[in-house]
Amino acid sequence: MIVVMKPGAAAEDIKHVVDLVHEFGLKDHVIYGTDRTVIACVGDKRTVEKDAIENAPMVEKVVPILAPYKMASLEVKREKTKICIGPERFPLGGVKIGVIAGPCAVESREQILTTARAIKAAGGVGLRGGAFKPRTSPYTYQGMGKAGLELLAEARAETGLAIVTEAVAVEQVEVCAEYADVIQIGARNMQHYPLLEAAGKAGKPVLLKRGMSATLEEFLLAAEYIINAGNPNVILCERGIRTFETYVRNTLPLAIIPALRERTHLPIVIDPSHGTGHAHMVPSMSLAAVATGADGVILECHPDPERATSDGAQSITPQTLNELMGRLKRVAEAVDREL
Ligand code: PEP
Ligand code: MN
């Protein structure tokens, strides 16, 4: 349920309600809006004396949260969540469109630094790259591990780009949080609940990829796990789902953007690389994502895609990225956004 405070409620009024909520065995999340404060209370509501809270000083009303995902829902917070990422604190979820790009995997110092410089020069705000890779086959490249994280940190120091990298296992979350600006939770791990909770405690924004067979509701409930563990900074990433279709690696449902907008305040980023599997489809799907209202795109970009250790077929070159940026800017402006 949500306790809506009257405009002008003082800190002690809010504290009084929070104490009551704790007495009833619920967890509180206080959200300070532009004109009023709301206190979202989650837990077993059978234990609650709703009247006691409703009669507390400066409480306007107590309303139930109908959505199963509570903190992620628009019922709790109507304003879009803006998440500032990286050393330059780029505000993802605001008016500006954020372009994050980089190789599927960190492969070498030269590869990551060359790519990072090109992304920065093109106007990107984030550098992606896996140091720990969740590969379908155990015999394929598994990533550089901690050495890869060190290279990503070096690329950030030189370019100012925000580092986005995946933690595949609970025990990798801490080291990823130490080196990166955004922890990615991959599609295969969207319902790995201990990992979601660990990411929720890591103190860095989380980019949560939709599972390849997860429904929209399951996706938002996975985000809820991270928020409930204490981290409100969750970026939702659609990366395509598995269907019967074979001309693409995954089917990229851009209709999830308006569907999510009706349900959640969290920023939405689209990954057209995994969402199609083909580099030649990435520019047009990126433009479509921005036209449809995405807050950003995350693209695989490699200086030599033919020799990439993973996902080369869906990686665009820095030159293609550079050309795409100009077109993305025009589309962004057409939908009242900036790039
Ligand atoms: C990736 O970003 O390289 C990746 C493995 O993505 P996904 O989890 O969406 O498959
Ligand atoms: Mn990949």
Side-chain angles (χ1 to χ4, degrees):
M1 65 188 189
I2 307 167
V3 182
V4 182
M5 302 301 290
K6 289 182 180 158
E12 71 229 43
D13 301 319
I14 294 163
K15 183 174 182 303
H16 179 69
V17 173
V18 167
D19 289 345
L20 268 179
V21 163
H22 290 175
E23 257 178 57
F24 293 129
L26 299 186
K27 200 163 157 180
D28 73 284
H29 297 264
V30 182
I31 298 154
Y32 298 94
T34 38
D35 56 78
R36 65 180 75 216
T37 299
V38 304
I39 303 156
C41 318
V42 289
D44 186 352
K45 60 181 183 303
R46 283 171 303 187
T47 58
V48 178
E49 287 281 351
K50 185 167 168 266
D51 290 351
I53 298 178
E54 219 149 30
N55 292 331
M58 294 304 277
V59 169
E60 185 169 297
K61 59 184 173 185
V62 176
V63 288
I65 309 172
L66 300 177
Y69 38 84
K70 309 287 175 195
M71 302 304 303
S73 91
L74 280 183
E75 292 172 55
V76 162
K77 180 167 176 275
R78 295 217 62 85
E79 297 131 60
K80 279 179 73 179
T81 292
K82 230 189 265 176
I83 301 177
C84 294
I85 61 167
E88 296 177 3
R89 303 200 51 73
F90 178 83
L92 204 58
V95 176
K96 288 188 172 209
I97 304 290
V99 175
I100 300 164
C104 181
V106 182
E107 296 165 4
S108 68
R109 184 164 184 271
E110 197 200 329
Q111 173 238 25
I112 203 69
L113 290 179
T114 309
T115 315
R117 288 175 193 135
I119 291 163
K120 181 69 181 181
V125 301
L127 174 67
R128 61 146 292 147
F132 302 103
K133 291 307 301 176
R135 301 306 303 283
T136 303
S137 162
Y139 305 118
T140 54
Y141 183 67
Q142 302 288 312
M144 290 181 76
K146 192 165 174 218
L149 296 177
E150 284 163 3
L151 293 177
L152 287 167
E154 187 181 342
R156 172 183 47 213
E158 187 187 315
T159 61
L161 292 170
I163 301 300
V164 182
T165 200
E166 177 166 353
V168 178
V170 173
E171 55 276 17
Q172 293 162 0
V173 169
E174 204 178 310
V175 70
C176 287
E178 188 186 321
Y179 285 92
D181 301 295
V182 178
I183 301 169
Q184 176 175 320
I185 302 292
R188 289 158 189 79
N189 274 323
M190 190 206 82
Q191 286 179 311
H192 181 168
Y193 301 119
L195 182 59
L196 299 178
E197 283 170 348
K201 295 191 180 106
K204 287 279 167 81
V206 176
L207 182 126
L208 175 67
K209 292 191 136 194
R210 180 189 182 184
M212 58 189 89
S213 62
T215 64
L216 179 154
E217 187 168 305
E218 288 163 344
F219 187 21
L220 287 173
L221 282 167
E224 190 77 12
Y225 262 92
I226 300 169
I227 303 172
N228 192 44
N231 188 347
N233 296 320
V234 181
I235 302 156
L236 300 170
C237 177
E238 170 63 67
R239 49 76 77 202
I241 52 173
R242 180 162 289 184
T243 69
F244 53 82
E245 196 48 90
T246 54
Y247 75 95
V248 277
R249 178 180 177 189
N250 291 290
T251 297
L252 185 62
L254 292 179
I256 200 167
I257 300 171
L260 285 170
R261 288 276 183 245
E262 278 198 324
R263 293 166 173 81
T264 184
H265 48 84
L266 298 173
I268 305 165
V269 162
I270 299 294
D271 173 352
S273 305
H274 295 85
T276 62
H278 300 286
H280 75 92
M281 295 180 177
V282 168
S284 49
M285 295 315 285
S286 302
L287 295 169
V290 171
T292 313
D295 297 304
V297 288
I298 181 163
L299 311 174
E300 286 190 337
C301 175
H302 194 289
D304 188 2
E306 284 180 12
R307 290 176 187 79
T309 54
S310 61
D311 288 350
Q314 64 192 35
S315 298
I316 59 172
T317 60
Q319 194 194 331
T320 302
L321 176 69
N322 199 36
E323 289 158 11
L324 173 60
M325 292 298 281
R327 299 170 71 201
L328 277 175
K329 186 171 161 56
R330 295 200 293 279
V331 171
E333 283 162 3
V335 292
D336 302 324
R337 303 289 293 263
E338 290 167 19
L339 190 131

